[in-house]
Amino acid sequence: MNKLFIFFMMALFLTSAGCTEVQNNTNENAVSDTAIVVYLSYGAFTLPEMAVQELVVNLTAVNLSYYNYQNELTARYVKSIDQETRDNLISLLNNNSFMEMNDQYEPQEGQTVVADTGTVEIQVIQSDASKIIKIDPYSPEYMPEKLREINAALIELKQYAMTPSENEVKETASQWIMSAPTYSFDGSDLALEDYQVSTENPGEYTLNYTFTSSHGGYGNRSDQMVTQVITEHSIEVVLYNRNVIFATIDDVWDEVNQVMLEKTVTMKSQEMNCSQTPWQTWYADGNINFFKEPTEEELVIAYFGTVYNIEVSDLSQTSLDDGNCQYTIKVKESAVETLTEMGWQEA
């Protein structure tokens, strides 16, 4: 009986030891609840002030920092992170076995090498075991599916950090207007009339204001002869995240570029083979690369913008009875002559 009891206790001890060993191995390959997650990108073809981009997810906040080529801080955005969002990120890292992935991913034989996208490093920092995964050059194409999921989640957090609150958007827009040439010259009584968030382009905001000027005209008129007359104005400001990308006063004045707005003209193409358009041929010849297959409009915009420096919009396509297609686009008046020489006509 004693021998049987001793044997049982030894077996229990060995079983417990084995379980403990397995548990320790699991912990070594796990991302802890207190881990710090870093998403670092650099080396891409981008603005100098955004040369290095660092996202840090700690226990309470998401920190997004931008640095220039001299490693000087150019911008920083900090937003709180709720417990559920952080828990979901840690669970994703563990469920996708982040700690067991390769240390580096790069193009394999037969894969196209993507240029100018830089390098991305995803890092988990914790007391017992840390890990860095490098994707060089950066492209989701070079990542396994589980790493792509992690990458997408961190990009989403990066966008979240960049996204301003409604009050921040309004403050940015109003401060921009008041410091812009037209309002700063003689404007007063700035009032917000409308605020809209784009449902198609996240991060894009349109705000409409009214204000009063004590003189006629637009811009800085200090060196002009102006009429002293009370003038009511409306201004539409479009922001992407925290940056003003477009602003027009009374639908006639470009406050960003300080010029009168050009008239927009609709141009119509000649009949052409639907699958052998100039932009499709240009794309097939390898003149441009996209991360994903472009839409027809994306390709047209890229083609005219790159080859002719013409800004186009509102592409429409009409299929004709003979199997050909005809296209219409909108361009600025200054581009009409170039398009006419290419066989396009005003619609």
Side-chain angles (χ1 to χ4, degrees):
M1 182 69 178
N2 289 338
K3 290 182 179 180
L4 181 61
F5 177 77
I6 292 171
F7 176 80
F8 174 78
M9 291 301 294
M10 289 179 65
L12 181 61
F13 174 79
L14 291 172
T15 303
S16 300
C19 291
T20 302
E21 184 176 356
V22 171
Q23 186 174 357
N24 287 340
N25 286 338
T26 302
N27 288 338
E28 287 177 2
N29 293 326
V31 178
S32 69
D33 294 337
T34 58
I36 295 174
V37 183
V38 179
Y39 187 87
L40 181 68
S41 60
Y42 53 89
F45 182 73
T46 186
L47 297 173
E49 60 268 25
M50 301 172 67
V52 179
Q53 304 175 22
E54 182 185 51
L55 176 75
V56 179
V57 184
N58 59 33
L59 292 174
T60 59
V62 177
N63 299 265
L64 178 61
S65 303
Y66 289 95
Y67 301 88
N68 60 21
Y69 289 111
Q70 290 72 45
N71 205 33
E72 298 168 333
L73 181 68
T74 57
R76 174 166 289 159
Y77 308 105
V78 181
K79 295 188 76 171
S80 61
I81 184 171
D82 61 80
Q83 190 62 48
E84 182 181 2
T85 301
R86 180 176 164 80
D87 289 346
N88 288 341
L89 177 61
I90 299 300
S91 295
L92 178 63
L93 291 165
N94 283 321
N95 293 338
N96 287 16
S97 304
F98 176 84
M99 301 296 286
E100 299 174 17
M101 291 182 179
N102 296 341
D103 292 336
Q104 182 161 342
Y105 291 92
E106 55 191 4
Q108 301 301 303
E109 185 175 351
Q111 286 185 307
T112 303
V113 178
V114 179
D116 300 327
T117 58
T119 302
V120 163
E121 295 180 7
I122 303 175
Q123 182 176 9
V124 167
I125 303 172
Q126 50 192 4
S127 57
D128 53 349
S130 298
K131 184 177 181 66
I132 299 177
I133 293 178
K134 179 185 289 188
I135 304 99
D136 184 19
Y138 169 69
S139 172
E141 182 182 351
Y142 309 143
M143 307 178 200
E145 179 62 31
K146 290 185 177 182
L147 184 57
R148 284 202 293 268
E149 292 177 3
I150 294 170
N151 180 70
L154 290 169
I155 289 176
E156 189 173 324
L157 283 175
K158 186 176 178 181
Q159 182 61 43
Y160 164 71
M162 276 290 296
T163 303
S165 66
E166 181 175 331
N167 287 337
E168 287 175 320
V169 171
K170 292 176 180 178
E171 179 67 16
T172 299
S174 61
Q175 289 297 323
W176 188 91
I177 293 170
M178 289 188 288
S179 62
T182 300
Y183 191 94
S184 62
F185 179 74
D186 63 349
S188 62
D189 300 328
L190 183 67
L192 176 65
E193 301 295 332
D194 188 41
Y195 168 86
Q196 294 183 3
V197 181
S198 173
T199 56
E200 297 180 355
N201 300 307
E204 184 176 296
Y205 310 87
T206 301
L207 300 93
N208 289 277
Y209 292 81
T210 57
F211 67 92
T212 303
S213 288
S214 54
H215 301 82
Y218 304 98
N220 184 349
R221 288 143 283 159
S222 57
D223 59 349
Q224 301 176 17
M225 294 290 293
V226 293
T227 56
Q228 190 166 353
V229 56
I230 302 299
T231 307
E232 301 297 330
H233 293 293
S234 63
I235 179 170
E236 180 177 271
V237 179
V238 179
L239 284 81
Y240 184 75
N241 290 328
R242 292 171 170 82
N243 300 311
V244 174
I245 59 174
F246 191 69
T248 58
I249 300 178
D250 302 333
D251 293 325
V252 298
W253 177 258
D254 182 345
E255 186 69 354
V256 173
N257 297 303
Q258 293 294 290
V259 294
M260 296 298 290
L261 288 173
E262 277 194 70
K263 178 184 175 183
T264 300
V265 180
T266 300
M267 301 293 291
K268 181 172 62 177
S269 74
Q270 297 176 322
E271 292 186 22
M272 58 181 73
N273 188 310
C274 301
S275 59
Q276 295 180 8
T277 62
W279 44 90
Q280 290 167 348
T281 302
W282 175 73
Y283 180 45
D285 288 342
N287 290 292
I288 191 170
N289 290 317
F290 292 87
F291 276 125
K292 61 179 182 179
E293 193 67 22
T295 64
E296 189 83 10
E297 184 165 25
E298 288 172 339
L299 190 53
V300 169
I301 291 172
Y303 171 71
F304 282 104
T306 303
V307 179
Y308 299 101
N309 196 28
I310 294 175
E311 181 181 339
V312 306
S313 62
D314 297 343
L315 171 74
S316 66
Q317 173 183 324
T318 302
S319 298
L320 305 175
D321 293 336
D322 58 3
N324 287 334
C325 289
Q326 196 166 40
Y327 300 87
T328 61
I329 54 176
K330 287 186 178 180
V331 298
K332 292 181 179 179
E333 196 170 25
S334 57
V336 170
E337 183 178 352
T338 301
L339 284 169
T340 301
E341 293 173 355
M342 296 164 57
W344 292 67
Q345 298 178 341
E346 291 191 39

